[in-house]
Amino acid sequence: MGFLEFVGSGHDLSQAMTGTFSPGLVLLSVLVAALAAYSALLTTERVRNANSTLSRRTWFATGSVAMGAGIWTMHFVGMLAYKMDMPVAYDVGVTAVSAIPGVAASAIALHIMRGASASWWRLNAGGLLMGGGIGAMHYTGMVAMEMPATTVYEPKLFALSILVAHGLATLSLAAKFRFVAYPSREGARLAASALLMGFAVAGMHYTAMMASFHFPDMTRDVPSAALSPGELGLGVSAVTSLILGLSILSSICLLYTSDAADDYFWV
C-alpha cells in the first residue's frame, strides 16, 4: 500500500480483519507517554533557569529527544497491545524514521512551554503543530507494519484522530500555564499537563487505530529482515531506558556546564 489509502467503494468494511487489545499494554502505553511528557516538562524549568546558552541548548535538546522517544515508544507499545490473527513484523528503516516527527512535535511543545506565558493563538498553533507531528509519527509507524494484509483508513475517523491530538495537545500546553501564578501548585500543574499530553498522544493513537481497517492480501508477505514483535519489544525497552539515560546525562551536563565551555562551543 501507499503511505495513506482511504476507504473506497471497493472496500466492504464488514470483511475487514478484527483484533483485540491487551488492557495492560494499553494502560502501559498511556503511562509511558505521560512519564515522557513529565520528564520533558521538568527540562523546561531547567531551560528557563539555565545560566548559559550551552546549558539551555543541552536541556532543550535533551527534553525534545526524550519526549519524542517517549511518544515513539507509546506508539509501538500501543501496536504491541493490538493482537491480530496473522503474522506481523516491522520494517527497520521506516520504524526508525517514524521517530523523527515525534521529536519535532516535542521540540515545538517545549519551545512554547519554556516561556512564562503564551497567548491563546500561540497555544492553538502549537497544539496543531504538535498534533500534526504526533499524527505523522503514528501513520509513518503504521507504514512500517509488514503483514499479509492491506490497511485502509476511514476518512472521518482519520480526521478525528488529528483533531483529538490537536485538542488535547492544546489543553496540555494550556495546563502548563494555568497555575503559573501559584508556585505551591507547581507539582499539580506539571502532573496535569503531563497527563493531558499523555492522553493527547494515546487518544490520537487509539482513535487512529479505530480508523484503520485491515483486509487480507496474500500477495504481501513478511520479509525475513523485518523486526518481529518480540524484537520490537526489546527495542521499546531500549528506548525507555534511553529516556532515563538522557535524563541522567542532562543532569551531568548541567553540573559540568560553565560559561567558559559555552564560549568555546557556541562562538
Side-chain angles (χ1 to χ4, degrees):
M1 71 172 180
F3 183 74
L4 287 176
E5 183 177 345
F6 293 101
V7 173
S9 57
H11 297 110
D12 181 1
L13 297 185
S14 66
Q15 301 301 313
M17 301 178 68
T18 58
T20 58
F21 284 100
S22 168
L25 287 176
V26 169
L27 177 60
L28 177 61
S29 69
V30 177
L31 291 177
V32 166
L35 179 62
Y38 188 77
S39 176
L41 286 169
L42 290 177
T43 68
T44 64
E45 307 302 318
R46 302 294 183 267
V47 170
R48 186 181 300 115
N49 298 325
N51 56 10
S52 70
T53 303
L54 176 59
S55 180
R56 284 191 296 273
R57 293 180 179 180
T58 298
W59 280 109
F60 183 80
T62 298
S64 299
V65 174
M67 184 174 169
I71 292 173
W72 183 87
T73 302
M74 179 273 141
H75 168 79
F76 285 102
V77 171
M79 294 306 301
L80 291 173
Y82 189 63
K83 310 294 184 182
M84 292 186 292
D85 292 330
M86 64 176 172
V88 178
Y90 298 85
D91 181 273
V92 178
V94 179
T95 297
V97 169
S98 68
I100 297 175
V103 174
S106 300
I108 291 169
L110 294 186
H111 177 72
I112 293 173
M113 290 187 293
R114 69 181 181 177
S117 62
S119 67
W120 185 88
W121 286 107
R122 189 181 184 196
L123 288 175
N124 270 274
L128 180 60
L129 290 172
M130 187 180 175
I134 295 170
M137 180 279 302
H138 173 88
Y139 289 108
T140 303
M142 291 292 288
V143 173
M145 296 179 71
E146 301 281 4
M147 56 187 177
T150 298
T151 302
V152 297
Y153 299 96
E154 202 287 317
K156 292 181 180 178
L157 289 174
F158 173 85
L160 178 62
S161 70
I162 303 300
L163 290 175
V164 166
H166 171 216
L168 290 178
T170 301
L171 284 175
S172 71
L173 294 176
K176 168 67 169 57
F177 303 103
R178 179 64 179 86
F179 301 112
V180 72
Y182 307 95
S184 63
R185 298 183 182 179
E186 177 71 10
R189 175 166 61 91
L190 293 180
S193 184
L195 281 174
L196 283 170
M197 199 166 293
F199 279 119
V201 179
M204 185 275 154
H205 174 87
Y206 291 110
T207 304
M209 291 299 292
M210 289 173 56
S212 62
F213 295 86
H214 309 286
F215 293 91
D217 184 354
M218 301 314 295
T219 65
R220 297 170 58 89
D221 55 9
V222 179
S224 59
L227 289 171
S228 68
E231 291 169 330
L232 180 64
L234 289 175
V236 166
S237 298
V239 170
T240 303
S241 299
L242 176 63
I243 294 173
L244 298 176
L246 284 169
S247 297
I248 295 172
L249 178 61
S250 62
S251 298
I252 295 174
C253 288
L254 180 65
L255 288 174
Y256 289 95
T257 296
S258 65
D259 291 333
D262 181 42
D263 292 338
Y264 180 79
F265 285 106
W266 303 94
V267 292

